[in-house]
Amino acid sequence: MPNNKLWRQTCLIGLLCYGVVGGAQTADACPAPLGEWLAGTGKTETAQGVVPTSDGDLVLFGARVLDNDETQAFAFKTDPCGGVRWLVSLTPTGGSNFLSGLALPDGSVLLGGSTRRLDNPEKNDALLVKLDKDGRRLWMRPFQGEQNLSATNLLARRDTALAVLQPHIRKPEDDEQAEKLKPEEERPVFLELGFDGRMTEQFAPLTEERVKLFHIREDVGTDALLVSGRFSYFGQPTRPGIWRIDRQSGSTQRIFNGKALGLSFGTFDGGTPNALTTMLWRSHLLSDDVGDPVSLTRLDAGQPAELWSEPKSAAATLPATSLRAANGDFVMVLQSFPKKGQDVTIAIVRLAADGTPIWRQTLVRSFDSAITDMTELDDDTLLFVGRSYDPSKEDGDAWLLTLQADGTIVSGSKTTRW
């Protein structure tokens, strides 16, 4: 088991460069909401996520690539027509990013990611930042440990927020200089804190090796957590896993693991832990020769049954780009991984609760374009964010795409330069 006191808070407030840029436009300034929107500078920006706020606006967050190849975290708030209300950014020389976001009832937002450690540039600290509805910083908390950490998931729980701190190497795995993690070191730490930033609890409930979590939510009707991701044992390839974590009883139960290679993207429906629907990637669920690389799978008493799948020649899918719509449908993004310079094919798919396909919207974009997150608004509109790359300018911009519930792309486009 890892040491639950592995990491500690450090004082970083005031040492990071942090700015707010005005320039708001009102929703009345345009006749209709945006269908497609590019926003950014001459650098390459990627929107890692989007959260609708309680006042009807949107907050996009992510990172831009600077001239020194370092990433700089950014977030901005926009009205539905593309009027930027505020923009914030961290660390002017790079070394930071935002990976997760949570909108709170009072209009504020909580953002999670990582930032370079001041006393050791080879290490990253997990970072949580809370901004009010006008983009002003309410508090900022870095969290430090022996490993590099990033805040990768956020969940609101009554009067507290839950964050997952994920250990990781800082450099690419194929880099000979990369610092490798031991299997027992690659286990996520759960952090519970009040909305005022005060930490109330930390725990590391998972004992499997090389665990990476993608989704977290509450088990309906209980205080327990359902988390999904991947894990491995003794250097073996990773496999998908779903866990139920009950803090009241102190028990953690792995309620599903795949039979072969694969990643579990998340649990979606509100059934019991033994009756879940999950999205799996590159998984062979039923035997070594049955199952497809992308599937929507129903788990009944721990036994998987595919509701829908793509053939083995299908495009792979990106983590975090799938959701359960308000009416019970499933929406997901499938994306090809072409050779450098070739176009990317992106397929947005909507399935009924039983896995029956409803519609598919296929997009072709330049190489290095991607959809990284999606959300659903109260009017059933679907929002997708990521990066759209322009090879002629060698520049990628934060990309927002709006689809109606029937898959039709909302008309209207706009480009905003900072």
Side-chain angles (χ1 to χ4, degrees), residues 10-16 137 139-142:
T10 58
C11 182
L12 196 61
I13 299 175
L15 300 181
L16 289 178
R137 186 184 67 200
W139 52 260
M140 177 160 44
R141 300 284 187 271

Side-chain angles (χ1 to χ4, degrees), residues 30-34 80-81 410-411:
C30 72
L34 286 173
C81 302
V410 176
S411 61

Side-chain angles (χ1 to χ4, degrees), residues 54-357:
S54 59
D55 53 10
D57 290 337
L58 304 168
V59 172
L60 281 70
F61 54 88
R64 69 172 59 91
V65 179
L66 304 177
D67 291 336
N68 59 1
D69 291 330
E70 292 280 0
T71 60
Q72 179 189 34
F74 71 84
F76 61 94
K77 186 178 186 181
T78 173
D79 62 37
C81 302
V84 177
R85 300 192 182 279
W86 51 256
L87 164 70
V88 300
S89 58
L90 303 178
T91 55
T93 58
S96 62
N97 59 28
F98 284 135
L99 298 170
S100 54
L102 180 66
L104 302 177
D106 62 357
S108 62
V109 291
L110 184 63
L111 301 174
S114 67
T115 185
R116 182 189 294 118
R117 193 176 300 176
L118 293 178
D119 59 354
N120 185 350
E122 297 301 317
K123 295 286 188 178
N124 287 346
D125 293 339
L127 182 69
L128 294 175
V129 181
K130 186 178 180 183
L131 308 176
D132 70 10
K133 62 182 181 63
D134 297 315
R136 291 185 291 262
R137 186 184 67 200
L138 298 175
W139 52 260
M140 177 160 44
R141 300 284 187 271
F143 300 94
Q144 185 180 106
E146 295 180 9
Q147 299 86 24
N148 296 306
L149 295 172
S150 293
T152 57
N153 298 85
L154 295 171
L155 178 71
R157 284 170 62 85
R158 298 175 180 82
D159 297 327
T160 62
L162 191 72
V164 173
L165 306 188
Q166 183 73 51
H168 61 90
I169 60 174
R170 185 166 187 268
K171 298 179 181 180
E173 293 184 11
D174 57 357
D175 190 329
E176 293 182 357
Q177 303 299 319
E179 179 187 2
K180 305 295 184 181
L181 294 179
K182 297 177 181 178
E184 68 274 8
E185 292 177 334
E186 201 169 348
R187 293 171 180 158
V189 175
F190 289 71
L191 170 69
E192 190 164 6
L193 40 73
F195 293 130
D196 59 0
R198 296 182 182 180
M199 186 178 64
T200 60
E201 188 180 10
Q202 59 170 324
F203 52 100
L206 304 181
T207 60
E208 290 82 357
E209 297 176 345
R210 300 199 184 284
V211 179
K212 184 175 182 180
L213 299 183
F214 291 130
H215 286 267
I216 178 173
R217 71 171 179 85
E218 288 188 319
D219 185 16
V220 176
T222 75
D223 289 329
L225 300 171
L226 290 172
V227 301
S228 63
R230 70 185 185 202
F231 71 98
S232 66
Y233 277 125
F234 308 112
Q236 296 178 0
T238 58
R239 63 184 64 186
I242 300 175
W243 296 263
R244 186 177 189 271
I245 303 169
D246 190 336
R247 293 300 297 159
Q248 291 185 346
S249 67
S251 66
T252 297
Q253 177 189 11
R254 189 172 72 240
I255 58 178
F256 171 73
N257 62 265
K259 301 300 182 183
L261 306 186
L263 303 178
S264 175
F265 274 17
T267 54
F268 296 96
D269 74 14
T272 66
N274 287 327
L276 299 168
T277 306
T278 186
M279 178 68 182
L280 295 170
W281 176 32
R282 292 177 178 169
S283 300
H284 299 278
L285 300 174
L286 306 180
S287 70
D288 290 341
D289 58 355
V290 177
D292 295 307
V294 179
S295 66
L296 184 70
T297 301
R298 181 74 179 179
L299 305 177
D300 289 306
Q303 297 299 313
E306 290 183 351
L307 302 179
W308 169 90
S309 63
E310 287 281 81
K312 291 180 172 58
S313 60
T317 183
L318 292 175
T321 47
S322 49
L323 60 78
R324 188 80 187 265
N327 71 344
D329 291 348
F330 296 92
V331 184
M332 58 195 68
V333 175
L334 311 178
Q335 176 155 332
S336 65
F337 290 87
K339 295 181 180 179
K340 187 173 179 59
Q342 297 180 345
D343 287 341
V344 173
T345 300
I346 300 173
I348 303 172
V349 182
R350 187 167 189 140
L351 308 170
D354 63 358
T356 302

